[in-house]
Amino acid sequence: MLSLATLLVHCLPLAMGHYDMCKSWVTSDVGPSWEFYACQPKPMVLKEYAMVKVDPPGITCGDPPERFCTHENPYLCSDECDASNPDLAHPPSLMFDREKEGLATYWQSVTWRRYPEPLVANITLSWNKSIELTDDIVVTFEYGRPTVMMLEKSLDNGRTWHPYQYYADDCMEAFVMPSKKVRDLSATSANRVLCTEEYSRWAGSKKEKNVLFEVRERFAIFAGPDLGKMENLYTRMESAKGLKDFFTLTDLRLRLLRPALGGTYVQRENLYKYFYAISNIEVTARCKCNLHANACNFRDGGLQCECEHNTTGQDCGRCKKNFRTKSWRAGSYTPTPHGSPNACAVAGSALGMDPTIHATISASSHVPETEEKADCECYGHSNRCSYIDYLNVVTCVSCKHNTRGQHCQHCRLGYYRNASAELDDESVCIECNCNQLGSLHDRCNETGYCECRRGATGSKCDDCMPDYHWRQGCHPNVCDEELLICQNDGICHHGQRCICASGFKGTLCQDAKCDSTHRNCDSASSTVVSSALLLLCTLMLSVVDV
Ligand SMILES: *[C@@H]1O[C@H](CO)[C@@H](O)[C@H](O)[C@H]1NC(C)=O
Ligand SMILES: *[C@@H]1O[C@H](CO)[C@@H](O)[C@H](O)[C@H]1NC(C)=O
Ligand SMILES: *[C@@H]1O[C@H](CO)[C@@H](O)[C@H](O)[C@H]1NC(C)=O
Ligand SMILES: *[C@@H]1O[C@H](CO)[C@@H](O)[C@H](O)[C@H]1NC(C)=O
Ligand SMILES: *[C@@H]1O[C@H](CO)[C@@H](O)[C@H](O)[C@H]1NC(C)=O
Ligand SMILES: [Ca+2]
């Protein structure tokens, strides 16, 4: 409890920290003007704004009234659920109410009187709005936590669902998955969906009530154990797009698949002690506003970002009318500390024609009328278009960021498409970087592979195939350890040449030297040879070392 409190205190400044301002009025040498920043709303307690649905119908207890027992007191079944009596009813709304100190109010299911038919229930929370989790999801169970359950999420208002986390007292048995803990995850697996046994084992219903979806521990992989380096997390979210989406959702679904068993098997003679009871579902998150708003309000029955940067829409996901000269982009957390607003630009600057470029495109092209401005779509790589009369097309001119094409949608020759970048990303085109000596030309295919000369290999053609060695390009080996073996104790040096023992010569040291110092061509002294070898080996080793 103490550690939780310190954690909370620690994180308070975070909520107020970076990205809380969308703009500020600054004065510089040129006079006062607005400066714009990437911005996001503060985290909120979002359970109060959720629409909740509990399935199947009739799963909530009390209609008809029913008695239930507890695992601690299995034969003292004094409690009763009665939907028609406000004091004894347990409707779904009690999962989201504000409780008075020490008085748990909870939703409760019917008991497992239909055993062995499974007792299952779905609890679906819908926000009709994209939200980004900023803290753990905490589900509090009275009378014991389920032995098997699942958390699912949707990103499209409930049209499609994805597993978010699996929970079981035995992951292998329930889901054929190994049991994992979030604290075992690493930077590359921070968005992995896993099965955990941490919240499903019986520990007494009073002692361990909570089931967590651990957001903080996943954040901590990047931001450090006390979440002190949130900028690292934010930077990471920009480069690994799946990471941001992992914490984003519009709906959550709790699939309760098997209730608490009190530690053992199901006792058929007392099925009244098996049921689900949830007193609270805590969801702390912020509205997803694509870094274009620092406020999010409940209006017209839904959450709505208060969009800045001339954007609009529930998530600030579009440019306002007349501000569509640049294609819409989300704001970016980078560069720290203020990020990039990537604001929508005002119309008018869009078709500012550069007469020289205009002239080079076509003698018969002319500046289009305002209606055609909408066609100047260059994915943000240009804000100038030209109308080519005889083709009847509007085409972008001077595409930047190594792009080309009518909409700057292709990469220039010598560049290839960055598969992890959107079309409107500045780093959408990557230089092929083909090795000049190893490749035939400087172009590459869509996955960045260059076309190699004979003997060269590797995506950039900067490596040699086996049997070739690199010397200003790849050349066939002169010697090796298999077929082209250096003779007479000669040593093959990087495949390039044989280093012959004293007294021998030739490409493969195949010839004996028969000059004045080596009179005895047939029997070169073995000690001389081996000491020469030793010297050579030492030399070679030192070369390899370096
Ligand atoms: C719970 O939701 C899942 C899909 O997420 C569905 O397959 C299942 O039938 C639902 N169960 C009930 C009891 O509605
Ligand atoms: C969801 O939000 C949209 C946009 O605000 C609104 O038009 C729609 O009616 C909402 N749907 C529901 C079911 O509330
Ligand atoms: C949005 O448009 C207004 C003009 O209506 C302009 O004054 C303001 O600077 C624009 N904001 C941004 C972030 O571009
Ligand atoms: C590819 O695009 C991603 C996303 O914008 C960027 O982070 C990455 O650096 C790009 N890769 C290269 C090699 O430029
Ligand atoms: C690019 O070339 C490499 C190597 O030849 C090949 O494996 C890859 O499939 C090619 N990619 C495309 C998209 O053609
Ligand atoms: Ca409650």
Side-chain angles (χ1 to χ4, degrees):
M1 211 56 225
L2 190 72
S3 65
L4 190 70
T6 39
L7 213 58
L8 279 173
V9 170
H10 230 96
C11 295
L12 265 179
L14 278 179
M16 320 286 292
H18 294 159
Y19 310 111
D20 52 356
M21 264 192 327
C22 294
K23 60 184 175 198
S24 111
W25 186 242
V26 293
T27 319
S28 66
D29 303 345
V30 255
S33 64
W34 285 109
E35 215 170 80
F36 300 98
Y37 316 112
C39 52
Q40 61 187 4
K42 290 182 179 46
M44 314 195 272
V45 175
L46 282 185
K47 64 175 177 185
E48 293 162 28
Y49 303 105
M51 278 173 297
V52 61
K53 194 162 179 294
V54 176
D55 286 309
I59 190 71
T60 301
C61 70
D63 185 17
E66 187 180 17
R67 263 152 55 86
F68 61 93
C69 327
T70 64
H71 292 295
E72 270 82 9
N73 244 335
Y75 299 103
L76 193 74
C77 302
S78 54
D79 284 314
E80 191 178 353
C81 177
D82 182 350
S84 63
N85 179 341
D87 291 334
L88 300 174
H90 293 279
S93 58
L94 297 183
M95 291 184 278
F96 308 100
D97 59 342
R98 295 185 187 189
E99 294 176 356
K100 292 198 196 87
E101 189 76 38
L103 187 76
T105 56
Y106 48 92
W107 166 80
Q108 189 175 324
S109 76
V110 295
T111 62
W112 204 357
R113 53 180 189 258
R114 294 237 179 100
Y115 178 86
E117 204 179 288
L119 181 67
V120 295
N122 284 352
I123 295 168
T124 308
L125 311 187
S126 306
W127 283 274
N128 191 23
K129 166 87 190 77
S130 305
I131 58 173
E132 297 167 337
L133 296 177
T134 57
D135 207 335
D136 298 345
I137 297 172
V138 184
V139 184
T140 308
F141 288 87
E142 306 296 321
Y143 304 109
R145 303 177 294 186
T147 46
V148 183
M149 68 171 258
M150 239 188 108
L151 194 62
E152 291 183 327
K153 73 162 188 175
S154 171
L155 273 159
D156 54 9
N157 294 317
R159 275 183 287 282
T160 57
W161 290 89
H162 314 276
Y164 214 7
Q165 190 143 307
Y166 296 85
Y167 302 85
D169 54 353
D170 185 335
C171 281
M172 214 23 110
E173 186 200 277
F175 297 113
V176 201
M177 289 172 82
S179 165
K180 282 232 160 59
K181 289 184 176 147
V182 171
R183 58 181 154 282
D184 299 334
L185 295 177
S186 67
T188 49
S189 60
N191 56 353
R192 184 161 301 167
V193 173
L194 45 79
C195 183
T196 174
E197 295 176 356
E198 215 163 340
Y199 309 105
S200 308
R201 295 223 165 108
W202 179 253
S205 64
K206 296 268 168 19
K207 225 169 105 199
E208 306 273 3
K209 292 179 158 195
N210 292 342
V211 173
L212 265 62
F213 178 78
E214 308 91 335
V215 170
R216 282 178 166 275
E217 275 187 353
R218 291 181 194 254
F219 281 0
I221 295 170
F222 307 103
D226 59 357
L227 303 189
K229 290 182 245 151
M230 285 300 274
E231 64 275 15
N232 288 356
L233 172 70
Y234 289 143
T235 307
R236 190 72 179 211
M237 280 184 168
E238 287 301 333
S239 55
K241 290 228 164 77
L243 187 63
K244 209 168 175 180
D245 281 350
F246 182 77
F247 299 104
T248 308
L249 54 96
T250 57
D251 302 66
L252 271 181
R253 177 173 287 158
L254 230 65
R255 295 183 62 184
L256 308 174
L257 299 169
R258 195 173 66 196
L261 301 184
T264 48
Y265 51 92
V266 179
Q267 286 177 303
R268 283 164 171 267
E269 68 279 10
N270 189 353
L271 295 173
Y272 298 109
K273 60 178 182 176
Y274 305 115
F275 55 88
Y276 306 105
I278 299 179
S279 57
N280 194 41
I281 302 179
E282 204 63 52
V283 181
T284 311
R286 63 166 57 97
C287 288
K288 172 180 172 163
C289 303
N290 286 299
L291 293 173
H292 289 311
N294 62 356
C296 182
N297 292 317
F298 194 73
R299 275 198 276 126
D300 310 326
L303 288 164
Q304 166 73 57
C305 299
E306 307 289 351
C307 302
E308 304 263 3
H309 304 156
N310 292 318
T311 62
T312 185
Q314 208 184 11
D315 303 349
C316 310
R318 302 193 304 271
C319 288
K320 269 190 186 161
K321 216 171 160 227
N322 300 327
F323 290 89
R324 293 185 187 147
T325 50
K326 236 164 96 181
S327 62
W328 176 89
R329 290 180 70 178
S332 167
Y333 284 120
T334 57
T336 52
H338 288 305
S340 318
N342 295 336
C344 291
V346 68
S349 59
L351 287 166
M353 289 295 302
D354 178 338
T356 53
I357 288 165
H358 180 220
T360 60
I361 288 209
S362 158
S364 59
S365 62
H366 68 82
V367 182
E369 295 309 310
T370 41
E371 297 86 68
E372 276 155 339
K373 279 182 180 177
D375 291 330
C376 187
E377 168 55 273
C378 309
Y379 291 104
H381 303 304
S382 169
N383 48 23
R384 284 204 301 268
C385 279
S386 176
Y387 177 68
I388 302 178
D389 221 354
Y390 61 94
L391 291 175
N392 188 27
V393 294
V394 175
T395 182
C396 302
V397 294
S398 1
C399 295
K400 290 196 287 280
H401 312 132
N402 305 308
T403 61
R404 67 185 175 112
Q406 187 186 353
H407 302 294
C408 306
Q409 79 273 39
H410 297 304
C411 289
R412 270 173 52 193
L413 294 179
Y415 291 80
Y416 69 103
R417 176 74 202 270
N418 180 348
S420 57
E422 303 287 341
L423 259 182
D424 59 8
D425 199 314
E426 285 189 12
S427 45
V428 67
C429 292
I430 304 173
E431 194 169 4
C432 292
N433 238 330
C434 302
N435 188 294
Q436 279 194 354
L437 297 165
S439 60
L440 289 169
H441 46 73
D442 58 9
R443 295 191 296 277
C444 56
N445 76 5
E446 288 136 68
T447 45
Y449 279 84
C450 305
E451 240 186 292
C452 299
R453 291 174 200 257
R454 202 166 77 93
T457 185
S459 62
K460 306 297 168 209
C461 306
D462 51 6
D463 249 336
C464 291
M465 313 224 277
D467 300 331
Y468 285 80
H469 64 270
W470 185 269
R471 208 178 67 237
Q472 310 258 316
C474 292
H475 298 275
N477 280 349
V478 171
C479 57
D480 60 29
E481 309 299 333
E482 282 165 34
L483 293 172
L484 302 165
I485 299 172
C486 301
Q487 307 292 303
N488 297 311
D489 291 334
I491 290 171
C492 183
H493 179 72
H494 297 317
Q496 294 174 12
R497 62 191 170 95
C498 287
I499 298 171
C500 298
S502 118
F504 295 95
K505 60 178 184 171
T507 318
L508 294 174
C509 312
Q510 70 275 32
D511 302 322
K513 286 182 185 166
C514 293
D515 55 17
S516 54
T517 47
H518 298 93
R519 265 158 299 187
N520 194 352
C521 296
D522 296 327
S523 60
S525 152
S526 64
T527 54
V528 170
V529 170
S530 55
S531 60
L533 257 179
L534 198 69
L535 182 68
L536 265 174
C537 288
T538 325
L539 267 174
M540 302 261 307
L541 274 176
S542 62
V543 167
V544 170
D545 253 19
V546 173

